[in-house]
C-alpha cells in the first residue's frame, strides 16, 4: 500500500494551480444520463472519485472518452438502470444516478451507499423527496428499488434539512418531470450553482426564485452541451491553510475569490495577509496565529470539508479555539492522530477544544477519510522531521497530484510504494 513521506518544517513559496471541482463534476456527470445528445465536459480533475463515477456510468451503458481533463459522453444508447454495490460502496455520490435514471426510465435499482467513517450518512431525504415526485420505493438487500408508475410528476418540496446531495438528486430528476417543481430549503453550494448552469446549457428550464428556492419546469428532451467545471474550492482552501501553517507565501491560481469569502475572512482573522485578483488569491502566513471559534455550516457558512485542515492551523494559535461540527456527527477522526503529533485537542460531542501553541512532532500516521488525510499532510508539513502517512488512497479520491503540487512550492514530500 502506498504512503506519503513528508519532511518538515519548510515554508511553502510559489504558485499552485487549482484543479476542477470533484464535488461539481460528480453531479454533473450523473446529470449527463438525462441526455440522448452528446455532452462535452472540460476541466475535470484527475482523481479517483471521478474515475469511479466514469466506471459507474460505463456500467450503465454510457460511451465515454476521457483524455487530458476533457470528457465526451454519448448516452444515446445508454440503456441500463442498475447501479451495483461494487461501484457505489467507495463513493457516496453514486446515489446521484438514482434521480436521472428514474427520470429517464421510470425504474432504477441503485445500491445504498452505506455509512462511512464521518457519520451514518443516510439517504432518507433523497428518497422522501423523490416520493413527492410520484416515486414508490422499497429497500431490498441493500438496494433501493424505485419506480415511478406514471413517470415523475412535478411537485412542491421543502427539504426538512439542507442537503447537498438531495438537492442535486432532486434538481436533476425534476428537469424531466411533468409540469413544475418547486424545491425550497435547497443547499446553495457553488457546486450546485455549477450543476444548474450546466443543466441550463443542456436546455433544461431552471430558475432560482429566491435564495434557497428553485423552480424547475420539466422538458421532454435536452440538447448537446459544452461545459467547463468550476474550480475546486476545497482544494483551494486546503492550500490557503497550508500557506498559513508554514508561514509561507503562495499564489493560488484558477479560482474565483468571492466564492471563498468565508474562508478568506477566517484566515485574515487568524492573522494571514491575503490579497485577491480576478482569478488569484495571494496569501502570506504570519508567525503569530490568533485563536478563533468556528462552526461548520452549509454554504455560505464555513465548510465541513475544511474543518480538519483549519483545526491543524488552530493548533498553532496563541490561545484556545473551539470548533463546532454541525454537519457530520463523527467528523473528528483526525484528532487522535493530531494529538499523537503533539496537539492538545479534546472532544466533547460535536465540539473540539483546541489548545494552541502546538509544536507538531513528526510521526507515522494513519489516514481515515479524505479531508482527515490532508489535515495530516498539513500537520506533517509543519512538524520538524520525517512523517509518514499511511492509507493515502483516501487522498487520491479527491486531491489531484497533491505531492507534485506541494513539491513545486518547496515541500519535501514523496510517495512510497
Ligand atoms: C456533500 C459533499 C461532501 C460535503 C457535504 C456537506 C459531494 C460529493 N459531497 O456530501 O464533501 O462534506 O456535502 O457539505 O458533494 N443527511 C441526512 N439524510 C439524507 C442526506 C443527508 O440525514 O438523505 C444528512 C447527512 O448525514 C449530513 C447532512 O445531512 O449530516 C448533510 O449532508 P449532505 O449535504 O447531504 O452531504 P452529501 O451530499 O453527502
Amino acid at each position: 500500500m502506498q504512503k506519503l513521506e513528508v519532511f518538515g518544517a519548510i515554508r511553502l513559496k510559489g504558485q499552485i494551480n487549482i484543479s476542477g471541482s470533484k464535488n461539481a463534476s460528480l453531479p454533473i456527470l450523473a446529470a449527463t444520463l438525462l441526455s440522448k445528445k452528446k455532452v462535452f465536459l472540460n476541466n475535470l480533475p484527475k482523481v479517483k472519485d471521478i474515475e469511479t463515477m466514469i466506471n459507474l456510468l460505463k456500467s450503465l451503458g454510457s460511451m465515454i472518452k476521457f483524455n487530458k481533463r476533457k470528457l465526451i459522453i454519448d448516452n444515446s444508447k445508454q440503456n441500463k438502470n442498475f447501479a451495483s454495490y461494487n461501484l457505489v460502496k467507495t463513493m457516496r455520490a453514486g446515489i446521484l444516478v438514482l434521480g436521472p435514471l428514474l427520470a429517464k426510465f421510470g425504474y432504477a435499482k441503485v445500491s445504498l451507499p452505506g455509512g462511512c467513517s464521518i457519520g451514518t450518512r443516510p439517504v432518507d431525504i433523497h428518497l422522501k423527496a423523490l416520493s413527492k415526485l410520484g416515486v414508490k420505493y422499497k429497500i431490498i438487500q441493500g438496494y433501493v428499488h424505485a419506480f415511478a408508475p406514471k413517470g415523475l410528476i412535478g411537485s412542491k418540496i421543502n427539504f426538512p434539512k439542507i442537503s447537498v446531495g438531495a438537492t442535486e438528486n432532486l434538481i436533476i430528476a425534476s428537469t424531466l418531470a411533468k409540469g413544475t417543481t418547486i424545491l425550497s430549503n435547497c443547499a446553495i453550494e457553488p457546486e450546485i450553482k455549477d450543476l444548474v448552469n450546466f443543466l441550463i446549457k443542456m436546455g433544461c428550464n431552471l430558475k432560482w426564485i429566491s435564495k434557497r428556492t428553485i423552480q424547475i419546469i420539466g422538458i421532454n428532451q435536452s440538447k448537446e452541451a459544452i461545459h467547463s467545471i468550476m474550480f475546486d474550492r476545497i482544494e483551494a482552501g486546503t492550500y490557503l491553510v497550508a500557506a498559513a501553517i508554514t508561514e509561507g507565501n503562495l499564489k493560488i491560481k484558477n479560482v474565483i475569490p468571492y466564492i471563498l469569502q468565508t474562508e478568506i475572512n477566517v484566515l485574515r482573522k487568524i492573522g494571514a495577509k491575503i490579497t485577491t485578483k480576478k482569478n488569484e488569491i495571494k496569501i502570506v502566513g504570519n508567525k503569530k496565529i490568533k485563536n478563533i471559534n468556528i462552526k461548520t455550516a452549509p454554504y455560505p457558512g464555513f465548510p465541513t470539508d475544511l474543518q480538519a485542515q483549519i483545526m491543524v492551523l488552530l493548533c498553532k494559535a496563541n490561545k484556545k479555539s473551539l470548533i463546532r461540527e454541525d454537519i457530520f456527527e463523527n467528523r473528528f477522526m483526525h484528532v487522535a492522530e493530531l494529538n499523537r503529533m503533539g496537539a492538545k485537542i479534546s472532544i466533547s460531542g460535536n465540539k473540539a477544544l483546541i489548545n494552541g501553541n502546538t509544536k507538531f512532532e513528526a510521526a507515522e500516521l494513519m489516514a481515515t477519510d479524505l479531508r482527515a488525510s490532508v489535515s495530516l499532510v498539513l500537520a506533517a508539513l509543519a512538524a520538524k522531521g520525517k512523517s509518514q502517512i499511511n492509507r493515502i488512497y483516501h487522498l487520491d479520491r479527491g486531491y489531484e497530484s497533491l505531492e507534485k503540487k506541494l513539491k513545486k512550492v518547496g515541500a519535501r514530500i514523496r510517495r512510497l510504494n
Side-chain angles (χ1 to χ4, degrees), residues 22-24 26-27 49 92-93 96 118-127 161-166 168 187 189 191 233 297-298 303-305 326-329 331 371:
K22 164 179 91 68
N23 286 356
L26 293 170
D49 273 10
R92 242 184 88 75
L96 294 176
I118 65 171
T120 49
R121 302 187 80 176
V123 289
D124 56 320
I125 302 174
H126 301 235
L127 296 177
K161 178 178 181 181
I162 294 174
S163 157
V164 172
E168 291 166 345
E189 268 58 7
E191 295 75 23
R233 69 189 164 100
T304 174
D305 285 352
D326 278 344
I327 307 287
F328 292 109
E329 73 267 27
R331 204 171 198 178
R371 308 302 170 185

Side-chain angles (χ1 to χ4, degrees), residues 206 228 376:
L206 307 100
S228 197
L376 300 183

Side-chain angles (χ1 to χ4, degrees), residues 19-30 41-58 64-71 73 87 90-91 93-94 96 229-230 232 370 395-400:
S19 300
S21 161
K22 164 179 91 68
N23 286 356
S25 304
L26 293 170
I28 287 175
L29 283 166
L41 296 175
N42 298 323
N43 202 32
L44 284 154
K46 283 195 208 152
V47 295
K48 187 81 188 144
D49 273 10
I50 299 303
E51 226 177 83
T52 308
M53 184 55 106
I54 289 175
N55 287 336
L56 175 56
L57 294 178
K58 282 183 178 167
I64 298 179
K65 280 188 202 149
F66 184 34
N67 190 16
K68 293 191 178 155
R69 299 189 174 75
K70 288 185 199 292
L71 178 139
I73 183 160
L87 288 159
T90 56
M91 187 191 62
L96 294 176
I229 306 286
M230 69 172 283
D232 195 311
L370 172 57
L395 270 177
D396 296 333
R397 285 188 45 209
Y399 284 91
E400 179 175 332

Side-chain angles (χ1 to χ4, degrees), residues 117 367-370 373 390-399:
S117 59
T368 49
D369 71 66
L370 172 57
S373 323
N390 294 287
R391 295 203 185 147
I392 53 165
Y393 54 85
H394 290 292
L395 270 177
D396 296 333
R397 285 188 45 209
Y399 284 91

Side-chain angles (χ1 to χ4, degrees), residues 53-270:
M53 184 55 106
I54 289 175
N55 287 336
L56 175 56
L57 294 178
K58 282 183 178 167
S59 78
L60 293 168
S62 303
M63 314 253 283
I64 298 179
K65 280 188 202 149
F66 184 34
N67 190 16
K68 293 191 178 155
R69 299 189 174 75
K70 288 185 199 292
L71 178 139
I72 305 173
I73 183 160
D74 179 349
N75 278 324
S76 56
K77 298 195 180 89
Q78 189 273 322
N79 58 358
K80 298 195 184 77
N81 50 11
F82 166 62
S84 80
Y85 174 69
N86 271 343
L87 288 159
V88 178
K89 69 176 178 202
T90 56
M91 187 191 62
R92 242 184 88 75
I95 195 71
L96 294 176
V97 299
L98 180 61
L101 289 177
L102 274 170
K104 196 163 166 183
F105 300 114
Y107 173 76
K109 180 178 166 189
V110 175
S111 169
L112 281 172
C116 73
S117 59
I118 65 171
T120 49
R121 302 187 80 176
V123 289
D124 56 320
I125 302 174
H126 301 235
L127 296 177
K128 275 185 199 137
L130 283 168
S131 67
K132 295 208 172 126
L133 296 183
V135 174
K136 308 254 184 269
Y137 64 88
K138 277 188 195 151
I139 294 174
I140 306 169
Q141 294 183 329
Y143 280 88
V144 184
H145 294 247
F147 48 98
K150 297 181 189 141
L152 298 182
I153 298 156
S155 178
K156 275 192 183 168
I157 298 165
N158 180 38
F159 291 109
K161 178 178 181 181
I162 294 174
S163 157
V164 172
T167 302
E168 291 166 345
N169 230 338
L170 269 288
I171 285 179
I172 299 171
S174 308
T175 56
L176 297 188
K178 280 184 209 110
T180 303
T181 300
I182 310 266
L183 304 175
S184 52
N185 202 26
C186 290
I188 50 166
E189 268 58 7
E191 295 75 23
I192 292 177
K193 299 281 169 90
D194 205 32
L195 167 68
V196 170
N197 292 339
F198 165 69
L199 289 168
I200 291 171
K201 288 178 188 166
M202 283 216 312
C204 300
N205 188 342
L206 307 100
K207 191 166 81 180
W208 291 97
I209 53 178
S210 72
K211 189 177 167 196
R212 290 195 182 274
T213 305
I214 189 163
Q215 172 189 283
I216 303 148
I217 301 175
I219 57 163
N220 290 325
Q221 239 189 43
S222 55
K223 57 182 190 192
E224 213 172 270
I226 305 176
H227 183 72
S228 197
I229 306 286
M230 69 172 283
F231 77 97
D232 195 311
R233 69 189 164 100
I234 305 300
E235 190 198 16
T238 301
Y239 290 123
L240 287 172
V241 174
I245 219 164
T246 60
E247 289 170 54
N249 185 337
L250 289 183
K251 249 188 214 169
I252 309 291
K253 300 283 279 186
N254 303 343
V255 296
I256 303 173
Y258 78 79
I259 287 182
L260 288 158
Q261 206 48 58
T262 303
E263 294 83 337
I264 290 174
N265 290 344
V266 164
L267 288 166
R268 278 186 176 140
K269 278 190 195 150
I270 285 169

